[in-house]
Amino acid sequence: MITVNNLTRIYRVGNVEVRALVDVSLTLEAGDITCVMGKSGSGKSTLLRQLGLIDRPTSGQIVFDGQDVTRLSDGARARMRLTYLGYIFQEFALLGELTAHENVYLPGMMLGGPIRDYRKRAAELLGMVGLGERIHHRPKELSGGEQQRVAIARALINNPKALFADEPCANLDSISAEVVMETLMKLNRDLGITILFVSHDPDDKKYAKRLIFLRDGRQVPEYL
Ligand SMILES: Nc1ncnc2c1ncn2[C@@H]1O[C@H](COP(=O)(O)OP(=O)(O)OP(=O)(O)O)[C@@H](O)[C@H]1O
Ligand SMILES: [Mg+2]
């Protein structure tokens, strides 16, 4: 359902060219759970940012259900981002002034429709990630693992088909990390959401059905 063809992203900083991603091709079948691994600077976040429609590739294609999303206008990409995919950042990226509940329903309101429905769904999603008792807490009143689960609930508010997570456990202790990974597994297993996550931890291989290794922006057959 998601195909990446010869994806290349070259950053230019002054006269310096950084080939962050070179000729990467892959397919994510619906319901897949894939882990992207590679050393620091190997291009993992760059790949996720292209897939998450946060950045545009220098060349190559990303196709969601037959549609080339690299060619869409900014407005169409924003809409696609809201309706088709969810994105989870290493550093949670919650709004500190808003409660967990408000953080989760905010991206729903951006699509229009009755706020009441989004509020109800946000409360259900927070229950699903085990935070039913915490919905009125602000981020600073939550643990790191709880904040990341709020971010997962937020990523789900518009029923995405795919979820992209960039080192979702990097800022968490091992127990919170396990809870977050189990939460992602459950979404994949029970709701069939396609998941691509980045990890540094070789232990996380156990969560993935498929592994992708990057080295210097290129796909390599194994972790070298
Ligand atoms: N906005 C940018 N402008 C210029 N160069 C960049 C930019 N973002 C990333 N890079 C460079 O591109 C390369 C890949 O970076 P990327 O962030 O994708 O690596 P990563 O695999 O996610 O690393 P980490 O594990 O440390 O998060 C690095 O050499 C980095 O310095
Ligand atoms: Mg990164």
Side-chain angles (χ1 to χ4, degrees):
M1 80 181 237
I2 297 176
T3 326
V4 171
N5 299 319
N6 307 101
L7 203 67
T8 295
R9 177 63 165 104
I10 299 170
Y11 296 111
R12 288 192 177 81
V13 183
N15 289 330
V16 182
E17 251 192 12
V18 180
R19 300 167 73 80
L21 212 56
V22 185
D23 223 13
V24 169
S25 296
L26 53 97
T27 303
L28 305 177
E29 300 290 344
D32 255 6
I33 179 151
T34 304
C35 176
V36 182
M37 300 197 129
K39 290 184 184 152
S40 182
S42 60
K44 306 181 298 296
S45 294
T46 303
L47 173 61
L48 242 67
R49 281 200 296 271
Q50 313 308 308
L51 283 164
L53 309 183
I54 293 167
D55 189 26
R56 279 186 198 264
T58 307
S59 61
Q61 271 188 326
I62 298 170
V63 182
F64 288 170
D65 291 339
Q67 185 173 26
D68 181 357
V69 294
T70 50
R71 306 275 172 268
L72 296 176
S73 69
D74 288 346
R77 279 161 61 90
R79 198 168 173 80
M80 180 67 94
R81 205 159 49 227
L82 276 171
T83 55
Y84 190 92
L85 59 92
Y87 204 91
I88 297 158
F89 299 88
Q90 177 176 327
E91 63 283 3
F92 323 139
L94 299 173
L95 296 174
E97 298 306 310
L98 302 185
T99 64
H101 192 213
E102 291 161 345
N103 266 285
V104 173
Y105 70 72
L106 190 68
M109 287 168 59
M110 291 175 186
L111 286 175
I115 294 177
R116 204 189 316 113
D117 294 355
Y118 288 115
R119 289 177 58 90
K120 182 165 173 284
R121 176 159 165 75
E124 287 165 5
L125 288 169
L126 283 164
M128 193 173 81
V129 299
L131 294 174
E133 307 286 301
R134 295 281 185 277
I135 76 170
H136 299 306
H137 287 229
R138 292 193 160 72
K140 65 171 186 293
E141 297 156 352
L142 296 167
S143 74
E146 289 170 343
Q147 289 181 60
Q148 193 57 302
R149 282 183 282 147
V150 173
I152 293 173
R154 177 182 59 185
L156 295 173
I157 189 76
N158 293 322
N159 285 313
K161 287 195 177 172
L163 211 53
F164 302 121
D166 193 355
E167 304 211 41
C169 301
N171 287 325
L172 303 179
D173 62 81
S174 60
I175 293 173
S176 303
E178 203 173 313
V179 174
V180 163
M181 286 313 298
E182 293 299 338
T183 305
L184 291 177
M185 294 310 104
K186 195 172 104 181
L187 298 174
N188 174 255
R189 197 175 51 234
D190 299 351
L191 305 179
I193 298 179
T194 307
I195 295 179
L196 183 77
F197 70 98
V198 171
S199 175
H200 261 118
D201 185 351
D203 255 14
D204 284 347
K205 284 182 189 173
K206 66 173 184 275
Y207 295 115
K209 281 189 212 142
R210 294 184 52 222
L211 297 169
I212 290 168
F213 295 98
L214 292 178
R215 186 164 55 114
D216 298 334
R218 293 176 189 271
Q219 244 171 311
V220 288
E222 52 182 84
Y223 203 19
L224 300 173

